[in-house]
Amino acid sequence: MIVATAGHVDHGKTSLVKALTAVDTDRLAEEKRRGMSIDLGFAYADLGAAEPVGFIDVPGHERFMRNMLAGVAGIDVALLVVAADDGPMPQTLEHLAVLGLLAVPECVVALTKIDRVAPARLAQARAEVAALLATTAWPQAPVWALDTPSGRGVAALREALGRLALGHSARPVEGHFRMSLDRSFALAGAGRVVTGAVLSGQVRVGDEVCLAPRGSLARVRGIHTMGLPATLARAGQRSALNLTGVDLHRAEPQRGDWLLAPPAHAPTERLAVRLEVLASEPRPLASRASLLLHLGASAVAVRVSLLFGPAIAAGSAGLAQLRLDKPVSAFRGDRFILRDAAARRVIGGGVVLDPFAPPRGGLRPQRLAELAAWGQPDAAAALSALLVEAPHGLALNRFALAWNLAPPAAAALQHLPGVVVLATPAGPLAQSAGHWQGWCARLRQALADWHSRQADSSGPGEGELRQLLQLRCQPDLLRALLAQALASGEVCRDGLCLRLASHRAVLGQADQALLDRVHAALGDTGLRPPIAGDLAAQLGLPVATLQAFVQRAARLGLLLRIAPNRCYLPQTLPGLVALAQTLAAESADGGFDAAAYRDRSGIGRNLTVQVLEFLDRAGLTRFDGQRHWPSVAAMPPLTAAAEPPCCAEPPC
């Protein structure tokens, strides 16, 4: 259990922590000289629970609010300290508002300095505290009156905190390891040490960790949890990790950084959030306001774009998108605080809904419905609701990362009722069963319409089909549709053309006879067919007549016209693609050049150039000006290949 103090300056937070733990948390010389906490202090005490209770002493002065906010991330209990002679003061109110915005589960009140007041004033102070708590999430929070210097009442408070610790349920160890760093220092003989609260997952000695948002890698050399040596740190514990790694010398960890399991490293600069404005604000929060975001122990400048109306009234909540000045590590469900740009006062706070918000389209009705889905209480419910609003599907890996799901929990999403999961080169793509059935029906209808309009055509190519289905920017969805339709036999492929199995493009008798002769002539030529002039001479035809026929047959998918003077039989295409994939797999960088293809195929330079240009146009390979690379389209089996440039389109 982690306890953090809160309250106005000089109300006795540090002396109370010392009385409870026997540790003076004011460690800085400046704090000793001023007699006032200016930074976070830490202590641990055995209160009779399974492990020590961690105490975080926060500064109460308004000038050090940022330090206070860095210390209350991930705490379990707030220890609100109010002096009986002063009663609630400005920082008392601000700290209490922060604790409410962060949804701290428990609150205990220490009414200090009772030795300085008469019984009537003590009763009045109790009434003031009760009235203040009545407007918060802890109206029944216990209030303990005490005189810290004499020890009067301290033992009773200590016992109450011990009972809370005994009844405290350990946080479930779910998700990837995440730790918000509030201190970083070099220790003689040990090296770099970082401390903070573990918010999720666990880490062991020897594990590799990532320092976010920079992405530097390190290894855990040693662990202390709740003040004791350990081999493991888990969610709900304050921990100190001794790190080692070459990257630490180039970029030292600092307060506000995150330590993560490497798979959880996904910095973001846009957050979709539910935002609450404090009732104490003198004016509504307007869209486009520049504010300061506190997330974990980090502080980042942000610009707010409201998604409902021009402003959020004081005491109200709404949806917003935050554009950050620099990347942070954030996940769905993270709590945050917003202060004004000058860092003088707390304005509000809220919870992250979508940590990877899109740059545009926040005001679309569909986007607002998506954010309502992100607000569901668990990942399974959120996914089901999101898929209703996502006709093109949802990248399951990205969704699982946004919810910080460990691999077993992410895999379980694939078995939810009503969810269809499609395997794509980019990872699993989730679709609602209703949308998937709709796409299958649209695919059949698009092919049927094509056949009715062009009965003499074998069918459209993949690019033309992508345009018909308006899937220009969703190639993975189209390929999944085609893979399913081809596997079921409902759709067939003729070369690079696609058709319903029930459709047959019929050639005239003369063309069919000529096609048989061309097949016979090309059947033994392998990967090196004759040029049009030689083939025409072999068939006893004028070159122009042969070329016109090849064009007609290519439109039907009966021949592959790779160049004006060269054609292949459709069954030759798998061999051409396989050779490109083999060369790419054998190279160190995954690419290959024309010389390698020429040497391996033995087809000569000119034909190699024609073949590679054809594969590039068909989308089966990609040329960057120097080397060729297998495209996404070439990685699945050939039944999911793309088609040549007759249906080329601009990139998304």
Side-chain angles (χ1 to χ4, degrees), residues 22-45:
V23 176
D24 183 1
T25 56
D26 279 350
R27 66 189 189 280
L28 303 177
E30 183 70 6
E31 292 175 318
K32 302 291 188 185
R33 186 183 66 80
R34 292 189 183 192
M36 179 181 72
S37 298
I38 63 177
D39 202 359
L40 302 174
F42 306 93
Y44 300 92

Side-chain angles (χ1 to χ4, degrees), residues 391-437:
H392 297 128
L394 201 65
L396 209 51
N397 290 344
R398 195 69 165 170
F399 174 84
L401 181 60
W403 279 80
N404 189 25
L405 299 181
L413 295 176
Q414 301 192 27
H415 305 291
L416 291 175
V419 175
V420 177
V421 178
L422 313 173
T424 76
L429 180 72
Q431 273 263 326
S432 72
H435 283 315
W436 174 249
Q437 291 163 5

